[in-house]
Amino acid sequence: MPELPEVETIVRGLRPLIEGRRIARVELAWPRVLDPRGQASEGIAGEQIAEVRRLGKFVVARFASGSHAAIHLRMTGRLIVDAKTPLPHTRFVWRFADGGNLVFADARKFGRLRIFAGDPREEVQVGIDPFDKRLDADGLHALLRGRRSAIKVFLLDQRFVSGIGNIYACEALWRAGIRPSKRTGRLNKREARKLLAALRKVLTKAIDKRGSSVDDYVDAGGKQGGFQKQLAVYGRRGLPCRRCKARIRRIVLAQRGTFFCPVCQRSSGPANRSNRTT
DNA sequence: ATCAGCACCTGTTGGC
DNA sequence: TGCCAACAGGTGCTGA
C-alpha cells in the first residue's frame, strides 16, 4: 500500500516520463474514480503537464494553465506510463497528444482522481510533511499535546503529519521504542524527538530502497520496491525482534493491524497492558 | 471539537 | 482438494 516512500518513488519516476507532455483526452473507464468534490475530467483535455510532485500521499500534477490534478492511490492504485496493452483494473487513462498514455489501474477501486483550480494544499487538506524543515521536536510535541488517541492512530491521521501509513507508523514506533497504544498526549519532549528522528530515518531508508512492495505496489516503471526485506515489525507477528529476539506481537488499533516488540517498545500505553495478540 | 465505527472494494488467505 | 467467509487497509462520512 503506497505511503510516503512509495508515492515519492512513483513521483520521481513519473517526472521525466510525463512532465511537458500534453493531454489530448481523458477516459474514465470507471467513472466513480473521479472525485465529485472536484471538477469534470474533460476540463484537462488540451492541458500540458508542467510539474509532478508529492503532497502527503497524493500525486499532484500541475498543468500549464495553473489548474491541478491530485491522484490518490489508496491501497492498490498504480500509475503506468505508455502501457502498450490494456491493463486489468484500468480506472482512467490520460491519452497524450504524442500517442502515449498514463494509465491508472486500481483493483480495489479506492483510488481517486481530483481536478481543481485552487491551491493544492488547501484542496487536499494534508498536514505538514515529515521532512519539512519547519517541523522540529518542539513542533511535533505541540501537535501531540492534549490528544487522547493512541500515538499510532495519530500518526495515521493525515491532518497532522502527512504521508505516514500503517507500515511506517509501526516501523517508526519500533525504532523510537514507543508502544503504539501509548496515549498521544503522554509522549514527552524526548519521545517526540525520538519519534521524529525515527520517522525521518525509516522514511529515508525506504525511499532509498524505492519503497516497500507489501501488496502489489510497483513504481512508475513497474518495478517493485526493496524495503519490505528490512521491515522490523510490520507483518512479522511471532517472528523474533531484530534487536532483542522477543516475539513480535500483533494487536488491532483503529481497525488496523499493529505490530510491535513487547520488549523494545515498553513505554506504557493506557493502563491495560494485556492486549490480545491475535 | 474529538473520536469510534462503519462503508467503500476485491484479491488473497485461512479454516473446515 | 475445494469452497467460502473473513480479512486486508486509507480515508470519508455518520453519529455519539
Side-chain angles (χ1 to χ4, degrees), chain A residues 128-235:
Chain A
I128 193 163
D129 195 270
F131 291 112
D132 193 317
K133 289 184 170 56
R134 291 168 294 182
L135 181 64
D136 58 13
D138 285 345
L140 180 59
H141 191 231
L143 285 175
L144 301 175
R145 206 171 295 139
R147 308 204 164 273
R148 295 148 65 101
S149 62
I151 182 61
K152 161 88 179 314
V153 177
F154 170 89
L155 290 175
L156 295 179
D157 193 326
Q158 303 299 302
R159 293 171 301 172
F160 302 118
V161 181
S162 64
I164 302 154
N166 206 30
I167 296 173
Y168 298 106
C170 291
E171 294 297 308
L173 288 167
W174 176 79
R175 278 192 158 267
I178 298 167
R179 195 159 290 221
S181 56
K182 181 155 184 165
R183 300 274 191 209
T184 300
R186 290 287 180 93
L187 270 71
N188 60 30
K189 183 96 46 103
R190 179 179 153 273
E191 289 171 312
R193 180 176 298 108
K194 285 186 76 171
L195 179 56
L196 183 58
L199 280 169
R200 286 176 170 164
K201 185 82 177 182
V202 73
L203 293 171
T204 299
K205 288 176 71 158
I207 292 169
D208 287 346
K209 293 289 178 188
R210 307 175 58 79
S212 302
S213 292
V214 169
D215 275 340
D216 44 6
Y217 159 76
V218 289
D219 67 20
K223 281 188 296 192
Q224 293 201 342
F227 192 69
Q228 65 277 7
K229 300 184 198 101
Q230 294 177 33
L231 296 176
V233 287
Y234 186 83

Side-chain angles (χ1 to χ4, degrees), chain A residues 15 26 32 48 57 62 64 70 83 91 106 120 122 127 134 137 164 176 187 207 225 230 234 249:
Chain A
R15 273 187 199 125
V26 177
R32 282 168 58 196
Q48 185 180 26
K57 298 178 197 170
R62 178 173 59 82
R91 306 306 174 197
D106 179 26
E122 296 189 4
R134 291 168 294 182
I164 302 154
L187 270 71
I207 292 169
Q230 294 177 33
Y234 186 83
R249 288 172 56 183

Side-chain angles (χ1 to χ4, degrees), chain A residues 223-276:
Chain A
K223 281 188 296 192
Q224 293 201 342
F227 192 69
Q228 65 277 7
K229 300 184 198 101
Q230 294 177 33
L231 296 176
V233 287
Y234 186 83
R236 300 191 67 242
R237 166 176 38 172
L239 296 174
C241 172
R242 297 199 196 281
R243 189 188 286 139
C244 77
K245 308 297 180 215
R247 285 185 187 282
I248 299 302
R249 288 172 56 183
R250 180 185 188 275
I251 59 172
V252 174
L253 288 177
Q255 289 101 246
R256 260 151 255 161
T258 301
F259 300 85
F260 69 99
C261 170
V263 175
C264 295
Q265 294 168 268
R266 278 195 185 285
S267 63
S268 58
N272 59 344
R273 205 77 67 77
S274 56
N275 286 312
R276 300 164 134 264

